[in-house]
């Protein structure tokens, strides 16, 4: 099974004439690659997550003459990958918290701040403290925003007591504390969102690791996942593992059985759907999502929820000079994952260097591997290789990729669990180390 | 990576005719640094893995090519690499192995 797809196309930018593109393509091939070292200009990147940070780093390495400024609202980045382990008490939050000092040492100018305005006409970004940052190219890696009230009763205020924990940090710890405070025999409810959303297998990894926590510490408890979908990423593997590890403890209710989520009452922690009503002791609502709101100023979603980009550069097809990476972008067959964001960031950085030295972006090559832990010693994966298809959309290469085998031995599941932690160590080292 | 990019391009282009109908559009002229860009995400910075995933730093081009081809043809067992290697043409595997075998990031 493939990871959940956006089911949308990425359209190629059509701004350059064929003649120009052809000539530039020839140049890119025949010019010595040293030309890249001459790439000049001011690159401003907004968002220090895996997409933005990876892009900043690679730009510095590829083109020392580029000025690279990274704007990030937080002092430290708390990653969504492995935040489910923190919720389930397996790890401390310090294990998923990382600084930006290494990027600063590489020559990335770190600006702590919040963007209030983007002017694509004068190519300036304004911060909340009044600082103006001029740019030649702007890279936005803002992640997701929540569609508050898309589920009646669930808004930002409700999230103070009924966590989403879908942006890591205080929300992660809030959900963990509520699980720790719950009595044995309690009911935990997770509502899983409709596609597309950040981290397709994430809700099911979370359910698994919370089930592991309950089985170990509060074995008379119950966990119910109420899903807005009938299918989900790595479904066969998750269900195989749940049947083996958490029978009678973890119940998944598909859309076809629960119906539409009608409302959430944060005071009583009650979930009401078309066909059921459940009162939870701990309630985790993962709301419907869209691109981080910073993309709205310059109109990058063109009225939709996500940003359409050129697959060769991740430059917006709506506003020239602005690139959009990671969860906020429509990337065809690629899931919204940390790995995908980092992979896109590298394509974007190579493209920016080419463009800023008078060349054209090369055809892209991208990867994704999503590791999920079903228990501390039980890992499963989905992997894919991505290219730009003939119509300009990002496609998964046919005949490649896919999920871990079903019915695999405990040794294989254990190795994938070790590799899951190894993957996290590697992506953190390459991004923040 | 820069000084040797041209030779990689030559290697890739030498096989371009063969590949024209073998893979998705654009697949024949991807520069090696882009092909290799996502290896580090699992195998660590410059292939030096800090965790449980095997490092690839220090492997030479023939060893890398043998491994990648072996994964692609399911001759070498793996967890994810057999799924990933199948997404690369033989020419891309050769270009990747040459590039990574030079020890460049």
């Amino acid at each position: 099974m493939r990871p959940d797809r956006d089911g949308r196309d990425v359209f190629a930018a059509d701004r350059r004439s064929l003649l120009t593109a052809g000539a530039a393509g020839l140049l890119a091939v025949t010019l010595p690659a040293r030309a890249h070292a001459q790439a000049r200009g001011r690159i401003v990147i907004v968002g220090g997550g895996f997409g933005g940070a990876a892009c900043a780093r690679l730009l510095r390495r590829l083109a020392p003459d580029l000025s690279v400024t990274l704007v990030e609202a937080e002092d430290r980045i708390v990653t969504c990958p492995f935040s489910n382990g923190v919720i389930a008490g397996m790890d401390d939050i310090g294990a998923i918290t990382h600084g930006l000092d290494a990027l600063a040492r590489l020559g990335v100018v770190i600006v702590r701040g919040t963007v209030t305005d983007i002017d694509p006409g004068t190519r300036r970004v304004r911060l909340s403290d009044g600082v103006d940052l001029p740019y030649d190219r702007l890279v936005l890696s803002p992640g997701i925003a929540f569609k508050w009230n898309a589920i009646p009763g669930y808004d930002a205020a409700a999230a103070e007591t009924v966590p989403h924990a879908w942006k890591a940090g205080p929300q992660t710890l809030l959900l963990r504390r509520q699980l720790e405070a719950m009595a044995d025999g309690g009911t935990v409810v997770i509502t899983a969102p409709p596609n597309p959303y950040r981290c397709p297998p994430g809700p099911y990894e979370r359910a698994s690791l919370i089930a592991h926590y309950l089985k170990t510490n509060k074995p008379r408890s119950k966990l119910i996942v109420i899903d807005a979908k009938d299918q989900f990423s790595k479904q066969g593997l998750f269900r195989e593992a749940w049947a083996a590890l958490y029978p009678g403890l973890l119940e998944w209710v598909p859309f076809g059985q629960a119906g539409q989520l009608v409302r959430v009452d944060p005071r009583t922690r009650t979930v009401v759907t078309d066909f059921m009503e459940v009162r939870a002791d701990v309630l985790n609502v993962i709301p419907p999502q869209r691109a981080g709101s910073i993309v709205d100023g310059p109109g990058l979603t063109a009225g939709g929820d996500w940003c359409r980009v050129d697959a060769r550069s991740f430059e917006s097809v709506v506003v020239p000079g602005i690139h959009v990476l990671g969860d906020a972008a429509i990337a065809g067959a690629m899931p919204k994952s940390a790995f995908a964001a980092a992979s896109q960031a590298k394509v974007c950085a190579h493209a920016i260097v080419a463009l800023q030295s008078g060349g054209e972006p090369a055809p892209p090559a991208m990867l994704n591997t999503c590791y999920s832990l079903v228990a501390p010693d039980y890992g499963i994966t989905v992997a894919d290789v991505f290219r730009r298809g003939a119509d300009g959309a990002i496609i998964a290469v046919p005949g490649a990729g896919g999920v871990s085998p079903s019915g695999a031995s405990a040794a294989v599941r254990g190795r994938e669990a070790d590799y899951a932690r190894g993957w996290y160590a590697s992506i953190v080292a390459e991004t923040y180390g | 990576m820069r000084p040797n990019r041209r030779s990689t391009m030559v290697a890739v282009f030498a096989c371009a005719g063969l590949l024209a109908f073998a893979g998705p559009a654009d697949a024949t002229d991807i520069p090696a640094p882009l092909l290799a860009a996502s290896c580090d995400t699992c195998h660590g910075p410059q292939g030096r893995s800090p965790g449980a995933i095997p490092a690839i730093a220090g492997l030479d081009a023939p060893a890398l090519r043998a491994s990648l081809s072996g994964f692609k043809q399911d001759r070498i067992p793996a967890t994810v690499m057999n799924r990933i290697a199948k997404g690369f043409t033989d020419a891309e595997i050769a270009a990747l192995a040459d590039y990574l075998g030079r020890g460049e990031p």
Side-chain angles (χ1 to χ4, degrees), chain A residues 33 61-62 339 343 346 350 362-364 369 381 385 387-388 390 399-404 416 418-419 423 425-427 429-430, chain B residues 1-2 5 24-26 29-31 33-35 37-38 40-42 44-45 50 52-54 79-80 83-84 86-88 92 105:
Chain A
R61 205 177 79 210
L62 293 174
F339 195 131
S343 196
K346 290 161 189 171
H350 278 277
T369 304
T381 51
V385 181
R387 297 285 187 268
R388 181 171 176 267
V403 299
S404 310
E416 290 219 291
D418 290 342
Y419 287 173
W423 166 78
S426 286
I427 192 171
E430 77 155 355
Chain B
M1 90 190 54
R2 285 180 282 270
R5 183 162 172 260
D26 288 346
D29 50 356
I30 301 168
L34 259 179
L35 280 175
S38 291
D40 287 3
T41 304
C42 285
I53 292 179
T79 51
V80 293
R83 288 176 257 158
I84 289 172
K86 288 185 182 70
F88 292 81
E92 287 173 343

Side-chain angles (χ1 to χ4, degrees), chain A residues 88-394:
Chain A
M90 290 160 48
D91 295 304
D92 204 53
I93 196 144
I96 59 166
T97 306
H98 311 287
L100 299 171
D101 296 350
L103 277 86
R105 283 195 297 274
L106 292 167
V108 177
V109 178
I110 310 288
V111 175
R112 173 127 193 253
T114 307
V115 173
T116 52
D117 189 46
I118 295 168
D119 184 346
T122 60
R123 298 207 171 193
R124 281 174 177 278
V125 169
R126 171 152 293 188
L127 306 186
S128 58
D129 58 7
V131 167
D132 259 348
L133 297 174
Y135 67 82
D136 295 300
R137 289 190 176 272
L138 176 63
V139 180
L140 302 180
S141 190
I144 53 160
F146 298 118
K147 292 180 171 180
W148 298 122
N149 284 314
I151 302 168
Y154 196 70
D155 56 15
E160 300 289 320
T161 54
V162 173
H164 53 76
W166 217 243
K167 292 182 181 181
Q171 282 275 311
T172 310
L173 293 174
L174 178 60
L175 182 53
R176 174 176 172 154
R177 282 196 303 271
Q178 291 183 354
L179 288 166
E180 286 168 349
M182 189 184 82
D184 190 6
T187 300
V188 180
V189 173
I190 298 173
T191 71
N195 292 324
Y197 60 96
R198 163 178 281 177
C199 191
Y204 313 97
E205 178 188 70
R206 174 173 295 178
S208 304
L209 294 182
I210 290 176
H212 174 78
Y213 168 79
L214 296 174
K215 181 182 174 181
T216 311
N217 296 284
K218 295 164 187 180
R220 294 190 293 116
S221 308
K222 190 164 172 56
L223 170 62
I224 304 169
V225 180
I226 300 176
D227 211 325
K229 307 177 293 298
D230 284 319
Q231 274 112 40
F232 60 87
S233 175
K234 292 182 265 193
Q235 180 169 352
L237 293 171
F238 274 112
R239 302 206 75 190
E240 174 187 324
W242 292 345
L245 299 174
Y246 312 120
L249 197 163
L250 197 167
E251 182 191 356
W252 174 66
V253 185
F255 175 79
Q257 193 181 324
Q260 201 83 34
L261 199 47
V262 175
R263 66 184 168 86
V264 164
D265 183 343
R267 201 177 47 81
T268 59
R269 291 183 297 276
T270 302
V271 176
V272 181
T273 74
D274 285 340
F275 305 123
M276 57 194 286
E277 179 168 334
V278 188
R279 186 167 172 164
D281 296 292
V282 174
L283 176 57
N284 172 210
V285 174
I286 306 171
Q289 296 157 32
R290 47 150 295 157
S293 55
I294 192 183
V295 304
D296 290 338
L300 294 169
T301 66
D305 285 335
W306 312 96
C307 304
R308 257 197 284 145
V309 294
D310 184 320
R312 291 165 298 193
S313 59
F314 285 80
E315 185 170 4
S316 166
V317 300
V318 181
V319 182
I322 302 183
H323 302 247
V324 183
L325 295 179
D327 296 349
I330 299 170
M334 296 185 84
K336 298 186 185 302
S337 73
F339 195 131
S343 196
Q344 295 164 7
K346 290 161 189 171
V347 167
C348 178
H350 278 277
I352 285 175
V353 171
L355 291 164
Q356 289 303 111
S357 49
E360 283 286 309
M366 290 168 287
L367 288 180
N368 179 65
T369 304
C370 284
Y371 282 92
S372 299
L373 290 178
V374 187
D377 59 353
Y378 193 126
I380 55 177
T381 51
V382 58
D384 273 300
V385 181
F386 301 98
R387 297 285 187 268
R388 181 171 176 267
D391 62 353
I394 298 173

Side-chain angles (χ1 to χ4, degrees), chain B residues 26-75:
Chain B
D26 288 346
T28 53
D29 50 356
I30 301 168
L34 259 179
L35 280 175
S38 291
C39 300
D40 287 3
T41 304
C42 285
H43 293 284
Q46 288 81 52
R48 288 189 279 274
S49 172
I53 292 179
I56 53 174
L59 298 178
D60 63 15
L64 286 160
R65 191 170 177 171
S67 293
L68 288 167
S69 301
F71 292 138
K72 181 176 176 177
Q73 293 155 18
D74 286 321
R75 285 185 286 103

